[in-house]
């Protein structure tokens, strides 16, 4: 059974710092990996989706990498801002399945 | 596009009552997913439909939970009778299932259910 782990569970940084969020999964047979952002009391917003054949995806200040063989992904946020404060969730779609398996998220607080 | 629409946004009910959550997926999407989120267990898939047909309901916790998708633009998740441990945020998501596509999932705002 696929399991997804996110470390750290919570992170607090001052504005302007570059930071890395980690995601690991137990079964490397995945179709894709998706990073989401969740604001308090809100739904999930998709940030980046990486296909299993890809190594990384970039969107603005966000960069997500994927190392399928080691079962790891990282989300890099450059020049963090208070508006980046949210919970970031990683989810993998196993091969042969249409569903996602989620990690429990990293709660990020960026202070001014 | 309005995105995935869920109603109600908040529901407070007493133990034993029936609860019905509603979802309208994004037009043109033919996969629909129901998730439940709690602090303890995170996000868990309850059931998903493809072309209105339930494909995997192994995440439905008990017979008290049931889900339907009578057409491509509407789905319901029903809990009868409800219990305090059902208190959670319930999300609906939809995805376009195009061969070779990204299968990216789009989430609704969720329904926060409180059972007292």
């Amino acid at each position: 059974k696929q399991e997804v782990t996110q470390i750290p569970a919570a992170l607090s940084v001052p504005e302007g710092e570059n930071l890395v969020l980690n995601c690991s999964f137990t079964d490397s047979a995945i179709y894709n990996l998706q990073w989401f952002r969740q604001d308090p009391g809100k739904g999930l917003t998709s940030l980046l989706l990486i296909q299993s054949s890809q190594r990384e995806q970039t969107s603005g200040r966000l960069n997500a990498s994927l190392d399928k063989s080691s079962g790891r992904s990282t989300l890099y946020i450059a020049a963090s801002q208070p508006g980046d404060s949210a919970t970031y969730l990683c989810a993998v779609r196993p091969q042969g399945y249409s569903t996602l398996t989620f990690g429990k998220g990293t709660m990020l607080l960026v202070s001014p | 596009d309005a995105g995935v629409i869920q109603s109600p946004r908040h529901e407070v009910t007493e133990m034993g009552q029936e609860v019905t959550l509603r979802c309208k997926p994004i037009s043109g999407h033919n996969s629909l997913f129901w998730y439940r989120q709690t602090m303890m267990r995170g996000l868990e898939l309850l059931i998903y439909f493809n072309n209105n047909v339930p494909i995997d309901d192994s995440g439905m916790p008990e017979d008290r939970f049931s889900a339907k998708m009578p057409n491509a633009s509407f789905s319901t998740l029903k809990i009868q009778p409800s219990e305090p441990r059902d208190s959670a945020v319930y999300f609906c998501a939809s995805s376009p299932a195009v061969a070779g596509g990204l299968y990216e999932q789009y989430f609704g705002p969720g329904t926060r259910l409180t059972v007292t």
Side-chain angles (χ1 to χ4, degrees):
Chain A
K1 179 185 175 184
Q2 180 74 269
E3 292 184 3
V4 180
T5 303
Q6 291 188 247
I7 295 173
L11 181 64
S12 181
V13 300
E15 181 178 6
E17 273 202 11
N18 302 325
L19 56 98
V20 175
L21 308 181
N22 297 293
C23 172
S24 62
F25 45 95
T26 54
D27 188 344
S28 62
I30 65 169
Y31 185 81
N32 61 36
L33 182 146
Q34 212 168 339
W35 281 94
F36 293 88
R37 167 184 174 140
Q38 185 176 26
D39 292 284
K42 306 288 187 182
L44 279 68
T45 301
S46 180
L47 297 173
L48 290 163
L49 185 150
I50 310 176
Q51 294 286 70
S52 62
S53 58
Q54 297 176 317
R55 297 285 293 182
E56 65 179 327
Q57 281 285 333
T58 298
S59 176
R61 294 182 294 107
L62 305 180
N63 176 276
S65 68
L66 174 64
D67 185 342
K68 200 174 67 164
S69 60
S70 67
R72 296 185 180 188
S73 176
T74 61
L75 179 66
Y76 175 82
I77 303 177
S80 60
Q81 303 171 357
D84 295 329
S85 299
T87 296
Y88 291 80
L89 293 143
C90 166
V92 299
R93 183 183 170 216
Q95 284 183 3
Y97 291 85
S98 296
T99 59
L100 294 175
T101 301
F102 281 84
K104 291 192 175 180
T106 294
M107 187 182 302
L108 173 66
L109 176 63
V110 181
S111 48
Chain B
D1 196 316
V4 177
I5 299 172
Q6 292 187 247
S7 65
R9 294 294 310 278
H10 302 273
E11 177 80 32
V12 180
T13 191
E14 293 184 347
M15 183 173 64
Q17 296 297 306
E18 177 179 298
V19 175
T20 299
L21 312 181
R22 297 172 177 80
C23 175
K24 176 178 168 57
I26 293 173
S27 177
H29 286 190
N30 58 355
S31 291
L32 183 141
F33 307 82
W34 282 101
Y35 292 89
R36 179 172 67 176
Q37 186 177 39
T38 61
M39 289 291 293
M40 287 294 294
R41 300 174 69 90
L43 261 167
E44 301 175 288
L45 177 73
L46 298 176
I47 185 171
Y48 91 93
F49 296 84
N50 191 45
N51 293 323
N52 312 337
V53 176
I55 303 300
D56 182 357
D57 65 354
S58 59
M60 297 285 262
E62 300 170 33
D63 291 345
R64 299 183 296 106
F65 286 69
S66 63
K68 294 182 180 180
M69 192 165 185
N71 56 62
S73 59
F74 184 66
S75 177
T76 60
L77 177 67
K78 184 177 294 186
I79 308 172
Q80 166 63 19
S82 58
E83 297 183 3
R85 60 194 168 116
D86 301 331
S87 298
V89 181
Y90 291 81
F91 288 102
C92 175
S94 69
S95 169
V98 177
L102 296 178
Y103 301 94
E104 188 169 0
Q105 290 191 18
Y106 298 81
F107 279 70
T111 295
R112 182 174 295 277
L113 173 65
T114 302
V115 183
T116 60

